[in-house]
């Protein structure tokens, strides 16, 4: 097996390979130790059994890409796929196909150009073809030859039996042995019969089953057994050996279960800290491996190491020791691509090594600990005496288990540390978004080991990116930096991808041709897309001008994705709050007419939803009518007053169970043949129904004649509903104002009638009663005079009631404009008017300092006069004691008039504010029964309320609210 694919096999205990390949270390790893099978040498002959083309290319393209990177000539024989399909698969997976074809490093053939060059399959000719191909590659100064062949051509009926195919595959193995040759044969599992695939397993020493893993094929049958007469005897020997192995395995299994149970109990102990668990693992490992010393180290990039934990009492190996890694066993381990298992250092040739002189360890069993694909430490077991038995597969598995658990714990600690740091940054209430963003970028640079990071914004799709925030770029904060990566590279690929994009080394890929690499030298890159709602905003990225020595791990991809999601959330939150604040400012400006504010709302919605036109229309499903009331934006058909059948518009979609509807693709949504689509040209719609009482419903909508290309987000739909709620409120208020104006108009008509039609006969009655008294007063007896007095009194009270009704009806229509009113001054005027009653009843009226309010001064004076007059009139047996207080409540003042009068029953406290609703007879208390009703109407005109708290015999407290000035 070629060195660049076998470096990850068991180290130091196996004989050196005889192969001549000396290319640099591969990215492929072996699942099991790739040791020689029996007495037969390994060969560079692989099989790939795939189920679909996606899986096939995910495996074979990295295989070819590595060959190109190692300087080999790569040949691909296409058959199950076309040549174009193979080229495309290579391109999308990072191979610069055109450059490789032009240089001769890559050749893509068909089966007619290879297996059937003579018109039919000739295995002898094919063996000669592969020998000549290797000779040509060597002559062209390539380091070797790498081939990948699709074998489905053998299924076609041309006289080639599948048995002959497998014989040919077996004959290839001696051809490759010891040569700079690597061949991958690809078999489609869905097309080849199962018995043929069984033979495939017998003829290929190794299996390649995903993009990075080579598996030792224990079903491989060497040529002399596959072809020779001794195959039955050899098969019997293997089966008998298996029986012995099974007996030994039972004993090993019991031991393995014992130690695995101890391992499980140790690592699942939630109370024990990490360091204690490590020490217990080392004790368990030393006991099972029968080795004296166990230790776990952390290694640093500067070439030093620290022994985190150690057991066994070795003088040089103790917890807390920090030293250079040079001339240590760990140095050997880290230089090795896989675990090291040495039973006797002398046999392995280590006795002349300075590490042996220093530590004197004769047996060594160790594995590298990696976190996020990066070497971070070693887990080692050793003894100062040789080990008599070779390490078993169960022991190797147990060492792997311990190493994997340590890797898992370290990765978990790394994740938790990163999440804690990022949470502290993003949750800091004292820092602005810009400050948090800079701290996150610094954290990412540290976490990923890269030079620079930034947030790039793409103002217009297909245009250049603008750097909004960057660290490590050497750019001043005030400088603008624009970049324009090519399609398929750097930020352009990232903003189009649903997951992070990573490239540890752009060299040797088509990314080298990109402007970003040519101008800025960005050689390694990790980025994720940032969204503003459902709209791509830009990219959050990190990079370096130096290549990265390892691929980006899934954990690192998750980290950058989490940071990008936070940035997306913050951008959307700021944008949402910005539009909500603007909507609040529009809605909270009652001084401006509704029509002006509605225009601002239309403009705000068009900006928020990125649509051209906003509008309101009356809709009536019963008559299938749609009539535009107001519109914002230019459109030939959508104009105020325009009408259309409701069923021909997108607004019909708002009449179902969901009152809010969106249309981003009209034809699939059932609107392809409507007027809205065919004649109006509307392609995008977002609208909601506004249900109103006693008038037609409305639809509030935004549309565009262009395609939006994406669905509306939940936040956008919510914002539309917010705007619609404001519009509904304003329309209802408008309707109420109209109703109130109509009511006031009717009341004004009544007031006119009362002041003219009722007053005139009343004056006539009063005049004639006075004439009767003047002319015939002397002739009336006592009853007649009493009757005449009742008639005059009734006429006077009717006049007072009519005057009260006039005042009541004219509160809205004949009031003065609101202005600041000093209540202390109002109270002084009222007390002056009531001075005679105050003196007559020995009343005492006190007041706190009263505030300044906004209102109609004459009407407020009327309220105070009525309340104080009532407090004096309904005084009871004691002299009136009245106190006036004021307290602030938000934007209004609460004013209270408290007395010690007769009080009011609870069931009567609502009735006292009703017109002409008297609680007492006229013989008990005089009055028209309209004073408190007038107070209520005045207070309501000022946007306030009035109420009473009272108990019979305990006095009353009348309270009212007025707006603060």
């Amino acid at each position: 097996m070629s060195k660049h694919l076998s470096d990850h096999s068991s180290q130091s205990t196996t004989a050196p390979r005889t192969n001549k390949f000396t290319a640099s270390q591969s990215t492929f790893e072996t699942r099991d130790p790739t040791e020689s099978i029996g007495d037969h040498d390994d060969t560079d002959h692989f099989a790939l059994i795939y189920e679909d083309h996606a899986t096939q290319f995910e495996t074979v393209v990295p295989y070819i890409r590595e060959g190109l990177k190692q300087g080999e000539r790569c040949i691909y024989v296409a058959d199950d796929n076309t040549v174009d399909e193979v080229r495309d698969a290579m391109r999308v997976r990072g191979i610069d196909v055109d450059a490789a074809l032009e240089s001769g490093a890559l050749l893509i053939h068909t089966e007619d150009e290879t297996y059937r060059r003579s018109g039919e399959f000739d295995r002898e000719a094919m063996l000669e073809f592969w020998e000549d191909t290797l000779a040509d590659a060597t002559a062209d100064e390539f380091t070797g030859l790498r081939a990948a062949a699709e074998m489905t051509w053998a299924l076609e009926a041309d006289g080639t039996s599948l048995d002959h195919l497998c014989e040919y595959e077996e004959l290839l193995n001696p051809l490759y042995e010891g040569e700079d040759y690597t061949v991958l044969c690809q078999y489609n599992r869905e097309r080849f019969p199962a018995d043929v695939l069984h033979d495939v397993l017998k003829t290929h020493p190794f299996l390649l089953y995903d993009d990075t893993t080579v598996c030792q094929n224990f079903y491989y049958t060497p040529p002399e057994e596959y072809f020779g007469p001794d195959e039955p005897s050899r098969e019997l020997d293997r089966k008998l050996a298996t029986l012995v192995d099974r007996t030994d395995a039972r004993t090993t299994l019991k031991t393995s279960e014992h130690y695995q149970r101890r391992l499980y109990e140790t690592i699942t102990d939630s109370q024990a800290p990490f360091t204690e668990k490590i020490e217990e693992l080392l004790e368990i490992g030393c006991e099972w491996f029968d080795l004296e010393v166990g230790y776990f180290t952390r290694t640093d990039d500067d070439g030093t190491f620290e022994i985190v934990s150690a057991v066994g009492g070795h003088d040089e190996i103790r917890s807390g020791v920090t030293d250079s890694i040079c001339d240590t066993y760990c140095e050997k381990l880290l230089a090795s691509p896989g675990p090291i298992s040495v039973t006797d250092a002398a046999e392995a040739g280590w006795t002349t090594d300075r590490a042996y002189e220093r530590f004197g360890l004769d047996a060594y069993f160790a594995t590298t600990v990696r976190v996020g694909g990066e070497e971070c430490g070693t887990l080692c077991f050793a003894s100062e005496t040789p080990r008599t038995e070779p390490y078993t597969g169960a022991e190797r598995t147990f060492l792997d288990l311990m190493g994997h658990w340590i890797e898992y714990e370290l990765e978990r600690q790394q994740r938790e540390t990163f999440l804690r740091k990022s949470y502290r940054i993003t949750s800091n209430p004292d820092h602005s978004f810009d400050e948090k963003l800079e701290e996150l970028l610094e954290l990412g640079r540290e976490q990923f080991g890269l030079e620079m990071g930034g947030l790039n914004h793409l103002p217009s799709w297909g245009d250049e990116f603008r750097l909004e925030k960057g660290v490590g770029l050497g750019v001043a904060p005030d400088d603008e930096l624009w970049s324009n990566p090519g399609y398929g590279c750097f930020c352009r690929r990232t903003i189009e991808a649903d997951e992070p994009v990573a490239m540890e080394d752009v060299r040797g890929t088509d990314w080298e041709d990109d402007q970003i690499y040519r101008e800025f030298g960005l050689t390694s890159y990790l980025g994720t897309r940032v969204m503003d709602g459902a709209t791509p905003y830009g990219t959050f990225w990190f990079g370096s001008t130096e290549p990265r020595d390892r691929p980006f791990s899934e954990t690192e991809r998750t980290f950058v994705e989490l940071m990008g999601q936070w940035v997306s959330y913050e951008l959307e939150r700021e944008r949402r709050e910005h539009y909500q604040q603007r909507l609040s400012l529009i809605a909270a400006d009652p001084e401006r007419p509704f029509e002006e504010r509605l225009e601002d709302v239309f403009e705000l919605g068009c900006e928020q939803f990125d649509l051209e036109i906003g509008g309101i229309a009356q809709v009536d499903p019963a008559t299938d009518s749609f009539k535009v009331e107001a519109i914002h934006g230019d459109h030939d058909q959508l104009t105020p007053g325009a009408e259309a059948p409701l069923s021909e518009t997108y607004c019909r979609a708002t009449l179902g169970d969901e009152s809010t509807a969106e249309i981003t693709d009209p034809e699939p949504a059932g609107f392809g043949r409507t007027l809205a689509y065919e004649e109006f040209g509307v392609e995008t719609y977002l609208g909601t129904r506004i249900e109103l009482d006693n008038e037609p419903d409305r639809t509030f909508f935004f549309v565009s004649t262009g395609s939006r290309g994406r669905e509306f987000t939940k936040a956008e739909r919510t914002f539309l509903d917010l705007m619609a709620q404001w519009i509904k409120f304003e329309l209802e208020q408008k309707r109420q104002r109209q109703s109130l104006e109509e009511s006031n108009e009717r009341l004004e008509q009544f007031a006119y009638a009362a002041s003219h039609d009722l007053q005139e006969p009343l004056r006539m009655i009063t005049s004639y009663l006075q004439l009767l008294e003047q002319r015939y007063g002397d002739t009336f007896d006592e009853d007649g005079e009493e009757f005449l007095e009742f008639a005059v009194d009734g006429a006077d009270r009717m006049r007072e009631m009519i005057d009260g009704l006039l005042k009541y009806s004219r509160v809205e229509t004949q009031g003065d404009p609101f202005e600041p009113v000093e209540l202390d001054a109002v109270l002084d005027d009222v007390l002056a008017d009531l001075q005679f009653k105050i003196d007559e009843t020995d009343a005492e009226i006190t007041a706190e300092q009263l505030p300044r309010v906004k209102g109609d001064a004459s009407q407020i004076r009327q309220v105070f006069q009525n309340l104080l007059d009532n407090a004096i009139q309904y005084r009871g047996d004691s002299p009136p004691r009245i106190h006036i207080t004021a307290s602030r409540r938000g934007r209004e003042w609460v004013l209270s008039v408290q007395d010690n009068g007769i009080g009011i029953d609870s069931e009567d406290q609502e009735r006292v504010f009703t017109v002409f609703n008297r609680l007492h007879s006229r013989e008990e208390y005089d009055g028209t029964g309209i004073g408190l009703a007038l107070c209520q109407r005045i207070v309501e005109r000022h946007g306030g309320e009035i109420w009473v708290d009272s108990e019979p015999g305990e006095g009353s407290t009348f309270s009212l609210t007025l707006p603060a000035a």
Side-chain angles (χ1 to χ4, degrees):
M1 184 176 176
S2 300
K3 182 178 184 300
H4 67 288
L5 285 177
S6 63
D7 276 350
H8 294 275
S9 61
S10 180
Q11 303 295 315
S12 303
T13 58
T14 58
R17 304 291 181 200
T18 58
N19 304 40
K20 297 179 182 179
F21 246 161
T22 57
S24 62
Q25 180 176 319
S26 167
T27 59
F28 288 78
E29 296 181 357
T30 54
R31 172 67 55 114
D32 299 302
T34 53
E35 299 171 348
S36 298
I37 302 173
D39 299 328
H40 306 282
D41 293 330
D42 296 344
T43 63
D44 296 315
H45 193 188
F46 302 89
L48 168 64
I49 300 175
Y50 60 92
E51 296 184 356
D52 55 70
H53 293 306
T55 304
Q56 175 194 13
F57 287 130
E58 288 299 325
T59 303
V60 73
V61 172
Y63 168 84
I64 293 293
R65 184 170 58 235
E66 185 182 22
L68 295 172
K69 190 174 182 180
Q70 304 298 340
E72 304 162 21
R73 169 169 281 169
C74 297
I75 296 178
Y76 194 102
V77 180
D79 184 66
D80 200 21
N81 297 279
T82 66
V83 172
D84 287 340
E85 288 172 340
V86 172
R87 288 174 178 168
D88 292 341
M90 290 183 180
R91 284 193 181 97
V92 299
R93 289 167 176 82
I95 294 179
D96 189 345
V97 175
D98 295 333
L101 291 172
E102 184 177 351
S103 67
L106 176 64
L107 304 176
I108 302 178
H109 296 304
T110 64
E111 49 94 12
D112 290 331
E113 297 168 337
T114 52
Y115 293 101
R116 293 200 179 108
R117 288 188 299 170
S118 61
E120 61 182 4
F121 174 68
D122 184 339
R123 71 185 187 187
E124 301 301 331
M126 279 307 301
L127 292 174
E128 182 180 349
F129 170 81
W130 291 119
E131 289 176 340
D132 293 343
T133 304
L134 175 61
D136 291 342
T138 304
D140 291 340
E141 298 185 350
F142 288 96
T143 59
L145 186 70
R146 181 178 298 229
E150 297 175 349
M151 305 303 293
T152 44
W153 58 268
L155 294 170
E156 300 176 8
D158 63 346
T160 302
S161 72
L162 294 176
D163 290 339
H164 290 161
L165 170 66
C166 291
E167 289 178 5
Y168 159 73
E169 289 278 46
E170 184 54 59
L171 290 173
L172 290 175
N173 291 316
L175 174 68
Y176 303 147
E177 190 172 313
E179 297 290 345
D180 299 340
Y181 227 132
T182 305
V183 174
L184 173 63
C185 300
Q186 306 171 67
Y187 290 87
N188 189 327
R189 183 174 180 177
E190 300 299 323
R191 299 183 64 182
F192 277 89
D195 56 340
V196 175
L197 294 179
H198 279 288
D199 286 340
V200 167
L201 292 179
K202 291 183 179 181
T203 57
H204 293 79
F206 299 98
L207 300 179
L208 189 62
Y209 71 92
D210 60 26
D211 60 345
T212 59
T213 307
V214 177
C215 182
Q216 177 82 56
N217 182 9
F218 293 103
Y219 299 101
Y220 170 61
T221 304
E224 55 268 34
E225 293 186 26
Y226 189 82
F227 293 107
D230 296 333
E231 181 177 0
S233 176
R234 299 258 186 167
E235 187 71 19
L236 178 61
D237 289 341
R238 281 201 295 272
K239 290 181 178 179
L240 291 173
T242 301
L243 293 175
V244 176
D245 290 341
R246 286 183 177 177
T247 302
D248 294 339
R250 289 193 185 96
T251 303
T252 303
L253 182 60
K254 290 182 180 179
T255 304
S256 173
E257 288 177 349
H258 167 73
Y259 286 108
Q260 286 182 6
R261 186 163 52 251
R262 287 182 60 187
L263 174 64
Y264 176 77
E265 291 171 352
T266 299
I267 63 180
T268 57
D269 184 357
S270 60
Q271 303 301 318
F274 176 68
T275 52
E276 286 185 14
K277 292 181 180 181
I278 289 289
E279 187 168 342
E280 181 64 22
L281 257 62
L282 295 174
E283 295 282 3
I284 295 172
C286 287
E287 185 178 330
W288 190 14
F289 305 146
D290 194 22
L291 298 174
E292 304 164 1
V293 181
Y295 56 100
F296 167 61
T297 73
R298 287 183 187 267
T299 56
D300 295 325
D301 294 336
D302 60 1
T304 62
F305 74 95
E306 178 188 1
I307 299 178
V308 176
S309 187
V311 298
H314 192 284
D315 292 340
E316 297 284 338
I317 303 174
R318 304 185 310 278
S319 298
V321 170
T322 302
D323 202 348
S324 170
I325 206 168
C326 184
D327 297 330
T328 65
Y329 283 80
C330 289
E331 183 182 28
K332 292 178 176 294
L333 175 62
L334 294 175
S336 166
I340 288 182
S341 53
V342 176
T343 56
D344 190 335
E347 290 183 3
W350 285 15
T351 53
T352 59
D353 195 291
R354 292 185 62 186
Y356 182 81
E357 295 175 3
R358 178 179 176 184
F359 297 97
L361 300 176
D362 284 294
Y364 185 65
F365 191 37
T367 187
T368 303
V369 175
R370 295 177 174 85
V371 175
E374 183 179 9
E375 294 169 346
C376 72
T378 61
L379 176 64
C380 312
F381 297 90
S383 180
E384 294 182 273
T385 57
R387 179 175 150 133
T388 57
E389 297 293 332
Y391 299 97
T392 66
E395 289 173 324
R396 296 174 187 274
T397 300
F398 194 73
L399 178 68
D400 285 342
L401 283 175
M402 289 192 290
H404 290 329
W405 177 79
I406 294 173
E407 289 174 346
Y408 168 80
E409 279 296 306
L410 292 177
E411 286 184 350
R412 184 184 62 79
Q413 292 175 14
Q414 185 186 67
R415 286 195 300 271
E416 289 181 354
T417 299
F418 171 82
L419 292 174
R420 278 196 301 271
K421 289 181 178 179
S422 59
Y423 176 76
R424 281 198 299 269
I425 292 171
T426 57
S427 63
N428 189 339
D430 298 327
H431 285 188
S432 65
F433 170 69
D434 194 61
E435 290 171 325
K436 293 177 182 179
L437 182 60
E438 184 170 351
E439 291 181 40
L440 273 186
L441 289 170
E442 292 290 359
L443 177 63
R445 289 174 64 196
E446 175 188 345
Q447 185 71 32
F448 308 134
L450 299 173
E451 300 171 21
M452 61 192 76
L455 172 65
N456 282 8
H457 175 45
L458 185 62
S460 176
W461 195 259
D463 203 349
E464 295 185 351
F465 288 83
R466 183 181 74 248
L467 180 70
E468 291 204 341
K469 189 71 177 180
V471 297
L473 284 80
V475 179
D478 297 333
D479 291 347
E480 277 202 354
L481 182 63
W482 292 80
S483 60
N484 191 16
Y487 284 91
C489 306
F490 297 102
C491 288
R492 189 75 65 188
R493 172 178 287 190
T494 302
I495 203 168
E496 295 174 346
D498 293 329
E499 57 186 20
V501 171
M503 176 66 77
E504 63 269 17
D505 188 356
V506 306
R507 297 174 306 175
T509 71
D510 54 358
W511 285 36
E512 271 190 310
D513 299 328
D514 195 273
Q515 176 183 347
I516 302 300
Y517 177 73
R518 295 198 312 269
E519 291 190 10
F520 302 102
L522 200 64
T523 306
S524 54
Y525 176 87
L526 174 65
T528 188
R529 182 172 63 186
V530 170
M531 305 291 290
D532 182 3
T535 305
Y537 179 85
T539 60
F540 189 73
W541 62 273
F542 298 88
S544 282
T545 56
E546 296 293 331
R548 203 167 187 257
D549 58 0
R550 66 188 187 282
F552 291 96
S553 67
E554 285 302 316
T555 299
E556 290 173 321
R557 292 169 183 262
T558 300
F559 285 168
V560 76
E561 190 170 23
L562 286 173
M563 289 191 285
Q565 288 172 357
W566 177 82
V567 174
S568 298
Y569 169 79
E570 284 295 307
L571 290 172
E572 183 178 1
R573 183 184 62 79
E574 285 193 350
R575 185 169 182 262
R576 186 170 59 247
E577 289 182 356
H578 166 73
Y579 284 111
Q580 287 177 353
Q581 288 171 358
R582 286 177 58 184
L583 177 60
S584 298
L585 290 174
I586 294 170
D589 188 4
E591 302 299 328
R592 297 176 61 208
F594 169 67
E595 290 72 20
E596 289 184 12
R597 291 184 286 161
L598 179 61
E599 183 68 18
D600 289 346
V601 168
F602 281 144
E603 187 174 341
L604 181 64
C606 288
E607 181 181 335
Q608 161 77 335
F609 308 133
D610 193 23
L611 298 176
E612 304 166 3
I613 299 164
I616 291 180
Q618 287 189 12
V619 293
D620 186 356
T623 60
D624 193 29
S625 63
F626 168 91
K627 182 177 181 181
V628 178
E629 279 191 336
I631 205 77
H632 170 84
D634 295 330
H635 192 278
D636 293 339
Q637 287 86 5
L638 291 173
T639 57
E643 298 185 36
L646 177 60
S647 57
E648 293 290 318
T649 69
Y650 294 117
C651 288
R652 80 178 192 215
T654 67
L655 303 178
D657 295 335
E658 294 290 336
S659 61
T660 299
E662 62 177 89
I663 309 294
T664 55
D665 197 351
E667 293 189 83
F671 291 89
R673 295 184 179 179
T674 61
L675 288 174
Y677 181 66
E678 291 190 338
E679 293 193 18
F680 296 176
V682 173
E683 294 196 12
T684 305
Y685 171 89
L686 177 65
T688 188
R689 182 174 78 253
I690 299 176
E691 297 182 85
L692 300 170
D693 294 331
N694 303 318
E695 62 175 304
D697 288 350
R698 308 293 202 276
T699 58
F700 175 56
F701 59 86
F702 292 87
V703 298
S704 180
T705 55
S707 175
R708 191 170 190 257
R710 58 183 174 83
E711 295 182 351
F712 293 93
T713 65
K714 183 178 180 181
E716 289 172 325
R717 293 168 66 97
T718 300
F719 190 71
L720 177 74
D721 290 339
L722 282 176
M723 291 191 289
Q725 289 173 19
W726 173 78
I727 291 174
K728 179 177 182 179
F729 171 79
E730 288 290 332
L731 291 175
E732 289 177 342
Q733 289 291 100
K734 183 178 180 181
R735 177 61 181 167
Q736 290 176 2
R737 285 193 296 271
Q738 289 175 346
S739 299
L740 185 59
E741 288 171 1
E742 292 171 359
S743 174
N744 287 336
E745 185 177 351
R746 289 193 296 271
L747 190 58
E748 188 73 22
Q749 291 172 355
F750 165 76
Y752 179 85
S755 61
H756 292 80
D757 300 341
L758 293 180
Q759 291 277 26
E760 184 59 31
L762 183 60
R763 283 194 295 269
M764 182 180 294
I765 292 172
T766 302
S767 298
Y768 278 101
L769 286 173
Q770 291 173 347
L771 286 174
L772 282 173
E773 186 177 14
Q774 291 172 3
R775 295 184 181 181
Y776 306 108
D778 295 338
T779 62
F780 286 159
D781 59 11
E782 184 177 348
D783 287 342
E785 290 179 356
E786 185 178 7
F787 294 159
L788 184 61
E789 183 180 351
F790 285 158
V792 172
D793 182 61
D796 290 340
R797 282 190 285 107
M798 180 172 283
R799 185 170 54 255
E800 290 176 0
M801 293 173 68
I802 291 173
D803 289 340
L805 280 176
L806 286 173
K807 291 180 181 179
Y808 184 83
S809 67
R810 291 169 177 171
V811 167
E812 293 285 346
T813 58
Q814 294 189 11
D816 294 330
F818 287 2
E819 60 185 6
V821 178
E822 297 288 351
L823 292 184
D824 283 329
V826 170
L827 180 60
D828 289 343
D829 292 341
V830 171
L831 293 178
D833 291 343
L834 295 175
Q835 190 61 48
F836 178 77
K837 284 189 175 183
I838 293 172
D839 294 339
E840 184 182 35
T841 59
D842 195 21
E844 180 182 307
I845 301 177
T846 59
E848 298 177 355
Q849 183 174 355
L850 299 182
R852 194 163 171 252
V853 297
K854 186 176 183 180
D856 182 336
S858 63
Q859 289 185 348
I860 293 175
R861 177 177 174 175
Q862 182 71 57
V863 170
F864 272 89
Q865 183 151 346
N866 286 357
L867 293 178
L868 292 176
D869 192 24
N870 282 353
I872 294 173
Q873 183 173 359
Y874 298 98
R875 58 185 177 274
D877 297 332
S878 301
R881 296 294 180 261
I882 305 167
H883 184 60
I884 305 170
T885 62
S887 62
R888 185 69 178 256
R889 189 174 72 180
R891 297 184 177 182
E892 60 188 10
W893 285 95
V894 179
L895 303 163
S896 298
V897 177
Q898 182 181 8
D899 65 50
N900 62 339
I902 62 175
I904 305 171
D905 285 333
S906 58
E907 60 268 21
D908 294 329
Q909 290 175 8
E910 293 288 338
R911 293 174 51 210
V912 296
F913 297 105
T914 305
V915 176
F916 301 142
N917 200 330
R918 296 174 53 86
L919 303 182
H920 306 280
S921 66
R922 299 187 182 279
E923 287 74 17
E924 293 179 286
Y925 296 99
D926 195 13
T928 61
I930 203 170
L932 289 176
L934 182 61
C935 289
Q936 184 182 52
R937 187 163 176 81
I938 291 171
V939 171
E940 288 177 348
R941 184 200 171 202
H942 287 73
E945 57 181 337
I946 185 170
W947 67 95
V948 62
D949 297 304
S950 181
E951 291 289 339
E954 299 295 332
S956 302
T957 300
F958 283 85
S959 300
L960 62 125
T961 60
L962 292 174

